[in-house]
């Protein structure tokens, strides 16, 4: 899935590109790690690579002037069970963008296209986005882009608590 790359290049705006995990080159993975280690302390490439290989894919933000990766967000699709019913979720992994590209909308557009594409293929399947928020800015992604999310600052959508707890127990029980 690629947005209007040519249009973004003409405007000299970063654009997004989605790639499945198995299609990532070693060079791309090392570039991702280079960005990652700028913003996180005490990291090791081996841990980053192992975590990345568990993901379904990655959204890249590409700078059109030099075709360089300037940000990325990993994603993992998983099923989980709530009240005896299978559910489908997108789990957002690491998201890191070079500081000079903060505020750019390429990643938002990429995620939107990704979810819409899934819904076209599976129109009757409810889908959930699982996001671990480490701070206020990440939490604002939910508050500014979704009507229904949990936890909600106004204590709404309590019915989603079971979804969050079920997903976390299934995939993060050791924590």
């Amino acid at each position: 899935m690629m947005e209007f790359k040519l249009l973004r290049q003409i405007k000299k705006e970063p654009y997004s590109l989605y790639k499945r995990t198995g299609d990532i080159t070693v060079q791309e993975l090392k570039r991702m790690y280079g960005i990652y280690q700028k913003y996180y302390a005490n990291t090791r490439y081996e841990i980053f690579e192992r975590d990345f290989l568990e993901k379904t894919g990655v959204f890249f933000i590409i700078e059109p002037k030099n075709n360089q990766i300037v940000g990325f967000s990993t994603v993992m699709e998983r099923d989980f069970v709530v009240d005896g019913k299978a559910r489908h979720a997108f789990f957002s992994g690491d998201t890191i963008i070079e500081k000079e590209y903060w505020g750019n909308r390429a990643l938002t557009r990429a995620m939107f296209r990704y979810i819409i594409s899934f819904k076209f293929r599976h129109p009757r399947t409810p889908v959930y986005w699982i996001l671990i928020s480490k701070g206020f800015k990440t939490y604002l992604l939910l508050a500014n882009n979704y009507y229904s999310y949990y936890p909600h600052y106004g204590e709404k959508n309590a019915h989603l608590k079971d979804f969050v707890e079920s997903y976390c127990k299934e995939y993060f029980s050791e924590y």
Side-chain angles (χ1 to χ4, degrees), residues 91-92 130-142 151:
F91 174 76
S92 288
I130 306 296
L131 174 68
I132 295 175
S133 175
K134 297 179 193 172
F136 184 71
K137 188 174 179 180
T138 306
Y139 182 78
L140 284 178
L141 283 173
L142 295 174

Side-chain angles (χ1 to χ4, degrees), residues 74-121:
T74 60
V75 65
M76 180 177 2
E77 288 192 45
R78 285 185 163 171
D79 292 322
F80 65 110
V81 177
V82 178
D83 298 329
K85 291 184 182 179
R87 309 294 178 157
H88 193 75
F90 301 114
F91 174 76
S92 288
D94 297 320
T95 300
I96 297 115
I97 301 169
E98 297 274 16
K99 188 174 184 173
E100 51 272 26
Y101 299 94
W102 289 359
N104 171 312
R105 304 289 294 171
L107 189 55
T108 304
R109 290 188 298 269
M111 191 66 172
F112 176 77
R113 284 190 317 276
Y114 186 77
I115 292 170
I116 294 301
S117 173
F118 178 86
K119 289 304 287 179
F120 275 124
R121 293 188 319 271

Side-chain angles (χ1 to χ4, degrees), residues 8-118:
R8 299 283 171 219
Q9 286 178 324
I10 290 168
K11 289 183 167 184
K12 301 205 182 326
E13 292 178 9
Y15 63 92
S16 57
L17 174 69
Y18 174 78
K19 281 187 144 181
R20 298 190 66 68
T21 304
D23 296 331
I24 300 300
T25 67
V26 171
Q27 182 182 0
E28 289 169 329
L29 191 61
K30 287 185 176 184
R31 173 66 183 146
M32 290 167 58
Y33 180 69
I35 296 169
Y36 182 86
Q37 74 178 135
K38 278 186 187 177
Y39 296 91
Y40 290 96
N42 301 317
T43 66
R44 288 198 346 256
Y45 180 79
E46 297 77 22
I47 294 170
F48 177 81
E49 180 183 40
R50 186 174 355 129
D51 180 67
F52 176 76
L53 292 174
E54 293 177 3
K55 303 299 190 286
T56 307
V58 61
F59 299 100
F60 286 131
I61 299 173
I62 309 290
E63 167 54 59
K65 294 174 191 162
N66 57 17
N67 258 2
Q68 185 75 22
I69 297 168
V70 296
F72 66 91
S73 182
T74 60
V75 65
M76 180 177 2
E77 288 192 45
R78 285 185 163 171
D79 292 322
F80 65 110
V81 177
V82 178
D83 298 329
K85 291 184 182 179
R87 309 294 178 157
H88 193 75
F90 301 114
F91 174 76
S92 288
D94 297 320
T95 300
I96 297 115
I97 301 169
E98 297 274 16
K99 188 174 184 173
E100 51 272 26
Y101 299 94
W102 289 359
N104 171 312
R105 304 289 294 171
L107 189 55
T108 304
R109 290 188 298 269
M111 191 66 172
F112 176 77
R113 284 190 317 276
Y114 186 77
I115 292 170
I116 294 301
S117 173
F118 178 86

